[in-house]
Amino acid sequence: WEELLKTSDDSERIPFIGSEDCHFQSGKKVIVSFPGAYGKAWNFLTKKARQYHADFATTCVFLPDCTAEGFGDHVKTGADCGSCHCLHLYGKQQYFGCAWYDLWLYKTREAIQHQCQLMVVTKRDGSLGRSQ
């Protein structure tokens, strides 16, 4: 799958809402961030993990389009619940929503609580994606 990261800029839609909490165990490696621009590599990785019944864990959440559950939903934050996560993630409210962030945050906190080893996958040049 590393070759897909090195050679492909083609992305594919990624429908994924993270691993179930039971996959988070002490010392286990957990991918907490993966650049959505590498959808083809992500889909390959998760397909192989299922194919070989690998014990794969991640907190990553991808809502690829308006047909995905949670797409366009917003989670109000702050003392007065007057804004949503979009403000600190993107600077303004976005049509695709920020509910995904609330789910990602919950799952990442679960992985931390279970003392997992957190892993961040970056772009080829070492930079992070827009929501990483």
Side-chain angles (χ1 to χ4, degrees):
W1 72 278
E2 290 178 2
E3 284 304 312
L4 287 172
L5 287 176
K6 292 178 186 174
T7 62
S8 178
D9 286 329
D10 295 337
S11 188
E12 293 178 355
R13 295 285 185 200
I14 308 172
F16 201 85
I17 58 166
S19 299
E20 295 179 21
D21 294 351
C22 63
H23 289 278
F24 304 137
Q25 300 162 3
S26 181
K28 184 173 186 171
K29 292 181 180 179
V30 176
I31 297 174
V32 297
S33 189
F34 192 97
Y38 297 129
K40 188 178 285 187
W42 178 262
N43 289 334
F44 177 82
L45 174 64
T46 55
K47 179 182 175 184
K48 289 297 181 185
R50 284 189 305 272
Q51 181 181 352
Y52 293 107
H53 307 288
D55 195 15
F56 176 77
T58 181
T59 65
C60 295
V61 176
F62 297 102
L63 303 176
D65 56 36
C66 62
T67 64
E69 185 177 341
F71 186 91
D73 293 347
H74 298 270
V75 175
K76 298 294 182 184
T77 63
D80 62 353
C81 292
S83 61
C84 66
H85 290 300
C86 286
L87 187 61
H88 66 87
L89 291 170
Y90 310 109
K92 64 180 183 175
Q93 194 167 27
Q94 298 291 324
Y95 71 94
F96 46 82
C98 59
W100 69 267
Y101 178 78
D102 213 43
L103 179 57
W104 172 82
L105 193 57
Y106 166 78
K107 288 182 174 292
T108 301
R109 286 179 174 156
E110 285 293 308
I112 292 167
Q113 182 178 359
H114 286 89
Q115 299 178 335
C116 296
Q117 293 181 35
L118 308 183
M119 298 172 41
V120 174
V121 178
T122 63
K123 292 183 176 182
R124 286 186 299 233
D125 64 4
S127 68
L128 297 173
R130 193 171 70 187
S131 297
Q132 288 186 279

